[in-house]
mmCIF file of all heavy atoms in Angstrom:
data_model
loop_
_atom_site.group_PDB
_atom_site.id
_atom_site.type_symbol
_atom_site.label_atom_id
_atom_site.label_comp_id
_atom_site.label_asym_id
_atom_site.label_seq_id
_atom_site.Cartn_x
_atom_site.Cartn_y
_atom_site.Cartn_z
ATOM 1 N N GLU C 1 -3.312 22.408 -4.292
ATOM 2 C CA GLU C 1 -1.980 22.443 -3.688
ATOM 3 C C GLU C 1 -1.849 21.394 -2.587
ATOM 4 O O GLU C 1 -0.776 20.810 -2.399
ATOM 5 C CB GLU C 1 -1.685 23.843 -3.150
ATOM 6 C CG GLU C 1 -1.555 24.880 -4.260
ATOM 7 C CD GLU C 1 -1.198 26.265 -3.743
ATOM 8 O OE1 GLU C 1 -0.829 26.392 -2.554
ATOM 9 O OE2 GLU C 1 -1.284 27.228 -4.541
ATOM 10 N N LEU C 2 -2.937 21.139 -1.868
ATOM 11 C CA LEU C 2 -2.896 20.091 -0.845
ATOM 12 C C LEU C 2 -2.696 18.727 -1.496
ATOM 13 O O LEU C 2 -1.908 17.905 -0.993
ATOM 14 C CB LEU C 2 -4.190 20.114 -0.030
ATOM 15 C CG LEU C 2 -4.306 19.045 1.060
ATOM 16 C CD1 LEU C 2 -3.229 19.241 2.126
ATOM 17 C CD2 LEU C 2 -5.694 19.084 1.707
ATOM 18 N N ALA C 3 -3.386 18.464 -2.608
ATOM 19 C CA ALA C 3 -3.218 17.187 -3.303
ATOM 20 C C ALA C 3 -1.772 16.987 -3.736
ATOM 21 O O ALA C 3 -1.234 15.878 -3.669
ATOM 22 C CB ALA C 3 -4.154 17.127 -4.507
ATOM 23 N N GLU C 4 -1.153 18.056 -4.176
ATOM 24 C CA GLU C 4 0.259 18.000 -4.557
ATOM 25 C C GLU C 4 1.131 17.614 -3.369
ATOM 26 O O GLU C 4 2.020 16.756 -3.475
ATOM 27 C CB GLU C 4 0.678 19.363 -5.102
ATOM 28 C CG GLU C 4 2.129 19.459 -5.532
ATOM 29 C CD GLU C 4 2.481 20.869 -5.980
ATOM 30 O OE1 GLU C 4 2.253 21.822 -5.183
ATOM 31 O OE2 GLU C 4 2.974 21.024 -7.096
ATOM 32 N N ARG C 5 0.849 18.210 -2.212
ATOM 33 C CA ARG C 5 1.639 17.921 -1.007
ATOM 34 C C ARG C 5 1.405 16.487 -0.519
ATOM 35 O O ARG C 5 2.336 15.820 -0.058
ATOM 36 C CB ARG C 5 1.270 18.912 0.096
ATOM 37 C CG ARG C 5 1.524 20.364 -0.247
ATOM 38 C CD ARG C 5 2.988 20.717 -0.221
ATOM 39 N NE ARG C 5 3.449 20.907 1.153
ATOM 40 C CZ ARG C 5 4.647 20.546 1.608
ATOM 41 N NH1 ARG C 5 5.487 19.955 0.802
ATOM 42 N NH2 ARG C 5 4.985 20.780 2.851
ATOM 43 N N VAL C 6 0.158 16.023 -0.623
ATOM 44 C CA VAL C 6 -0.137 14.651 -0.190
ATOM 45 C C VAL C 6 0.521 13.651 -1.133
ATOM 46 O O VAL C 6 0.972 12.584 -0.701
ATOM 47 C CB VAL C 6 -1.660 14.416 -0.107
ATOM 48 C CG1 VAL C 6 -1.947 12.985 0.321
ATOM 49 C CG2 VAL C 6 -2.291 15.382 0.899
ATOM 50 N N ALA C 7 0.584 13.975 -2.419
ATOM 51 C CA ALA C 7 1.296 13.096 -3.342
ATOM 52 C C ALA C 7 2.757 12.937 -2.929
ATOM 53 O O ALA C 7 3.351 11.866 -3.072
ATOM 54 C CB ALA C 7 1.205 13.651 -4.762
ATOM 55 N N ALA C 8 3.339 13.995 -2.377
ATOM 56 C CA ALA C 8 4.741 13.956 -1.965
ATOM 57 C C ALA C 8 4.948 13.251 -0.628
ATOM 58 O O ALA C 8 5.996 12.636 -0.401
ATOM 59 C CB ALA C 8 5.304 15.378 -1.892
ATOM 60 N N TYR C 9 3.946 13.321 0.261
ATOM 61 C CA TYR C 9 4.128 12.794 1.623
ATOM 62 C C TYR C 9 3.130 11.714 2.024
ATOM 63 O O TYR C 9 3.181 11.214 3.144
ATOM 64 C CB TYR C 9 4.060 13.950 2.637
ATOM 65 C CG TYR C 9 5.273 14.837 2.617
ATOM 66 C CD1 TYR C 9 5.335 15.959 1.799
ATOM 67 C CD2 TYR C 9 6.392 14.539 3.399
ATOM 68 C CE1 TYR C 9 6.460 16.770 1.763
ATOM 69 C CE2 TYR C 9 7.519 15.339 3.380
ATOM 70 C CZ TYR C 9 7.547 16.455 2.555
ATOM 71 O OH TYR C 9 8.678 17.248 2.525
ATOM 72 N N GLY C 10 2.248 11.333 1.121
ATOM 73 C CA GLY C 10 1.242 10.335 1.475
ATOM 74 C C GLY C 10 1.788 8.949 1.729
ATOM 75 O O GLY C 10 1.104 8.103 2.321
ATOM 76 N N TRP C 11 3.027 8.687 1.291
ATOM 77 C CA TRP C 11 3.655 7.404 1.592
ATOM 78 C C TRP C 11 3.652 7.110 3.092
ATOM 79 O O TRP C 11 3.659 5.942 3.511
ATOM 80 C CB TRP C 11 5.104 7.381 1.075
ATOM 81 C CG TRP C 11 5.955 8.495 1.598
ATOM 82 C CD1 TRP C 11 6.199 9.689 1.009
ATOM 83 C CD2 TRP C 11 6.659 8.536 2.858
ATOM 84 N NE1 TRP C 11 7.012 10.482 1.801
ATOM 85 C CE2 TRP C 11 7.312 9.797 2.943
ATOM 86 C CE3 TRP C 11 6.807 7.625 3.896
ATOM 87 C CZ2 TRP C 11 8.089 10.156 4.036
ATOM 88 C CZ3 TRP C 11 7.576 7.990 4.997
ATOM 89 C CH2 TRP C 11 8.203 9.236 5.057
ATOM 90 N N LEU C 12 3.647 8.173 3.894
ATOM 91 C CA LEU C 12 3.649 7.996 5.348
ATOM 92 C C LEU C 12 2.427 7.211 5.803
ATOM 93 O O LEU C 12 2.506 6.369 6.706
ATOM 94 C CB LEU C 12 3.689 9.364 6.021
ATOM 95 C CG LEU C 12 3.903 9.387 7.538
ATOM 96 C CD1 LEU C 12 5.317 8.970 7.886
ATOM 97 C CD2 LEU C 12 3.637 10.784 8.085
ATOM 98 N N LEU C 13 1.279 7.465 5.178
ATOM 99 C CA LEU C 13 0.046 6.765 5.550
ATOM 100 C C LEU C 13 0.097 5.307 5.143
ATOM 101 O O LEU C 13 -0.481 4.446 5.821
ATOM 102 C CB LEU C 13 -1.159 7.467 4.918
ATOM 103 C CG LEU C 13 -1.427 8.883 5.421
ATOM 104 C CD1 LEU C 13 -2.543 9.544 4.621
ATOM 105 C CD2 LEU C 13 -1.781 8.872 6.912
ATOM 106 N N VAL C 14 0.761 5.006 4.046
ATOM 107 C CA VAL C 14 0.951 3.599 3.670
ATOM 108 C C VAL C 14 1.767 2.887 4.739
ATOM 109 O O VAL C 14 1.417 1.788 5.198
ATOM 110 C CB VAL C 14 1.649 3.481 2.301
ATOM 111 C CG1 VAL C 14 1.950 2.015 1.979
ATOM 112 C CG2 VAL C 14 0.805 4.102 1.198
ATOM 113 N N ALA C 15 2.849 3.507 5.167
ATOM 114 C CA ALA C 15 3.750 2.869 6.133
ATOM 115 C C ALA C 15 3.057 2.572 7.455
ATOM 116 O O ALA C 15 3.300 1.526 8.068
ATOM 117 C CB ALA C 15 4.973 3.758 6.361
ATOM 118 N N VAL C 16 2.185 3.473 7.914
ATOM 119 C CA VAL C 16 1.593 3.283 9.242
ATOM 120 C C VAL C 16 0.313 2.445 9.224
ATOM 121 O O VAL C 16 -0.144 2.015 10.282
ATOM 122 C CB VAL C 16 1.311 4.626 9.952
ATOM 123 C CG1 VAL C 16 2.609 5.406 10.127
ATOM 124 C CG2 VAL C 16 0.269 5.455 9.225
ATOM 125 N N THR C 17 -0.272 2.200 8.036
ATOM 126 C CA THR C 17 -1.526 1.425 7.993
ATOM 127 C C THR C 17 -1.383 0.094 7.250
ATOM 128 O O THR C 17 -2.349 -0.657 7.163
ATOM 129 C CB THR C 17 -2.664 2.235 7.345
ATOM 130 O OG1 THR C 17 -2.329 2.553 5.988
ATOM 131 C CG2 THR C 17 -2.930 3.518 8.129
ATOM 132 N N ALA C 18 -0.210 -0.212 6.718
ATOM 133 C CA ALA C 18 -0.005 -1.476 6.008
ATOM 134 C C ALA C 18 -0.290 -2.644 6.936
ATOM 135 O O ALA C 18 0.247 -2.713 8.045
ATOM 136 C CB ALA C 18 1.420 -1.548 5.488
ATOM 137 N N ALA C 19 -1.136 -3.577 6.484
ATOM 138 C CA ALA C 19 -1.565 -4.668 7.375
ATOM 139 C C ALA C 19 -1.862 -5.949 6.603
ATOM 140 O O ALA C 19 -2.668 -6.762 7.049
ATOM 141 C CB ALA C 19 -2.805 -4.232 8.165
ATOM 142 N N SER C 20 -1.206 -6.130 5.444
ATOM 143 C CA SER C 20 -1.538 -7.317 4.639
ATOM 144 C C SER C 20 -0.288 -7.999 4.095
ATOM 145 O O SER C 20 -0.043 -8.004 2.891
ATOM 146 C CB SER C 20 -2.477 -6.919 3.490
ATOM 147 O OG SER C 20 -1.933 -5.850 2.736
ATOM 148 N N PRO C 21 0.506 -8.605 4.974
ATOM 149 C CA PRO C 21 1.743 -9.234 4.524
ATOM 150 C C PRO C 21 1.584 -10.644 3.964
ATOM 151 O O PRO C 21 2.519 -11.169 3.360
ATOM 152 C CB PRO C 21 2.585 -9.266 5.801
ATOM 153 C CG PRO C 21 1.567 -9.435 6.891
ATOM 154 C CD PRO C 21 0.384 -8.616 6.448
ATOM 155 N N LEU C 22 0.412 -11.260 4.163
ATOM 156 C CA LEU C 22 0.231 -12.673 3.806
ATOM 157 C C LEU C 22 -0.776 -12.855 2.685
ATOM 158 O O LEU C 22 -1.789 -12.161 2.613
ATOM 159 C CB LEU C 22 -0.225 -13.476 5.024
ATOM 160 C CG LEU C 22 0.718 -13.468 6.241
ATOM 161 C CD1 LEU C 22 0.052 -14.165 7.418
ATOM 162 C CD2 LEU C 22 2.049 -14.137 5.890
ATOM 163 N N LEU C 23 -0.489 -13.820 1.813
ATOM 164 C CA LEU C 23 -1.392 -14.240 0.749
ATOM 165 C C LEU C 23 -1.585 -15.747 0.813
ATOM 166 O O LEU C 23 -0.670 -16.479 1.218
ATOM 167 C CB LEU C 23 -0.793 -13.916 -0.616
ATOM 168 C CG LEU C 23 -1.042 -12.560 -1.263
ATOM 169 C CD1 LEU C 23 -0.196 -12.462 -2.534
ATOM 170 C CD2 LEU C 23 -2.507 -12.365 -1.597
ATOM 171 N N ASP C 24 -2.751 -16.208 0.405
ATOM 172 C CA ASP C 24 -2.898 -17.647 0.201
ATOM 173 C C ASP C 24 -2.276 -18.019 -1.137
ATOM 174 O O ASP C 24 -2.326 -17.254 -2.101
ATOM 175 C CB ASP C 24 -4.378 -18.045 0.205
ATOM 176 C CG ASP C 24 -4.544 -19.548 0.112
ATOM 177 O OD1 ASP C 24 -4.122 -20.252 1.066
ATOM 178 O OD2 ASP C 24 -5.070 -20.035 -0.911
ATOM 179 N N GLY C 25 -1.713 -19.215 -1.214
ATOM 180 C CA GLY C 25 -1.050 -19.665 -2.430
ATOM 181 C C GLY C 25 -1.951 -19.685 -3.648
ATOM 182 O O GLY C 25 -1.471 -19.579 -4.782
ATOM 183 N N SER C 26 -3.251 -19.816 -3.441
ATOM 184 C CA SER C 26 -4.174 -19.872 -4.573
ATOM 185 C C SER C 26 -4.256 -18.556 -5.327
ATOM 186 O O SER C 26 -4.756 -18.520 -6.456
ATOM 187 C CB SER C 26 -5.572 -20.288 -4.089
ATOM 188 O OG SER C 26 -6.091 -19.358 -3.149
ATOM 189 N N PHE C 27 -3.761 -17.483 -4.748
ATOM 190 C CA PHE C 27 -3.741 -16.200 -5.452
ATOM 191 C C PHE C 27 -2.689 -16.212 -6.554
ATOM 192 O O PHE C 27 -2.855 -15.554 -7.587
ATOM 193 C CB PHE C 27 -3.451 -15.057 -4.476
ATOM 194 C CG PHE C 27 -3.563 -13.685 -5.089
ATOM 195 C CD1 PHE C 27 -4.759 -12.995 -5.059
ATOM 196 C CD2 PHE C 27 -2.467 -13.077 -5.697
ATOM 197 C CE1 PHE C 27 -4.876 -11.723 -5.629
ATOM 198 C CE2 PHE C 27 -2.566 -11.812 -6.269
ATOM 199 C CZ PHE C 27 -3.778 -11.141 -6.236
ATOM 200 N N VAL C 28 -1.605 -16.943 -6.341
ATOM 201 C CA VAL C 28 -0.502 -16.930 -7.303
ATOM 202 C C VAL C 28 -0.428 -18.202 -8.131
ATOM 203 O O VAL C 28 0.207 -18.225 -9.185
ATOM 204 C CB VAL C 28 0.842 -16.694 -6.582
ATOM 205 C CG1 VAL C 28 0.886 -15.297 -5.994
ATOM 206 C CG2 VAL C 28 1.081 -17.722 -5.489
ATOM 207 N N GLU C 29 -1.081 -19.276 -7.680
ATOM 208 C CA GLU C 29 -1.085 -20.533 -8.432
ATOM 209 C C GLU C 29 -2.363 -21.303 -8.107
ATOM 210 O O GLU C 29 -2.691 -21.508 -6.940
ATOM 211 C CB GLU C 29 0.143 -21.381 -8.067
ATOM 212 C CG GLU C 29 0.292 -22.626 -8.906
ATOM 213 C CD GLU C 29 1.566 -23.398 -8.576
ATOM 214 O OE1 GLU C 29 2.348 -22.929 -7.723
ATOM 215 O OE2 GLU C 29 1.763 -24.463 -9.164
ATOM 216 N N LYS C 30 -3.082 -21.710 -9.130
ATOM 217 C CA LYS C 30 -4.374 -22.348 -8.940
ATOM 218 C C LYS C 30 -4.262 -23.609 -8.082
ATOM 219 O O LYS C 30 -3.329 -24.394 -8.216
ATOM 220 C CB LYS C 30 -5.002 -22.702 -10.288
ATOM 221 C CG LYS C 30 -5.513 -21.489 -11.056
ATOM 222 C CD LYS C 30 -6.226 -21.892 -12.336
ATOM 223 C CE LYS C 30 -6.775 -20.652 -13.054
ATOM 224 N NZ LYS C 30 -7.463 -21.025 -14.308
ATOM 225 N N LYS C 31 -5.221 -23.721 -7.173
ATOM 226 C CA LYS C 31 -5.413 -24.897 -6.313
ATOM 227 C C LYS C 31 -4.321 -25.069 -5.267
ATOM 228 O O LYS C 31 -4.258 -26.111 -4.601
ATOM 229 C CB LYS C 31 -5.547 -26.171 -7.150
ATOM 230 C CG LYS C 31 -6.755 -26.159 -8.079
ATOM 231 C CD LYS C 31 -6.888 -27.473 -8.840
ATOM 232 C CE LYS C 31 -8.109 -27.435 -9.762
ATOM 233 N NZ LYS C 31 -8.273 -28.701 -10.506
#
């Protein structure tokens, strides 16, 4: 039942710990 509740509200943890807004261009296009 806890897993069910976390599935419904776990988005909150994504919002407060997100820390990766930047990518290097080589991830999307070689070189």
Side-chain angles (χ1 to χ4, degrees):
E1 293 183 12
L2 179 63
E4 180 183 55
R5 300 286 281 143
V6 179
Y9 287 91
W11 56 266
L12 189 70
L13 295 174
V14 175
V16 300
T17 62
S20 53
L22 301 173
L23 272 174
D24 185 65
S26 60
F27 186 91
V28 293
E29 186 176 358
K30 287 185 178 180
K31 298 183 180 181

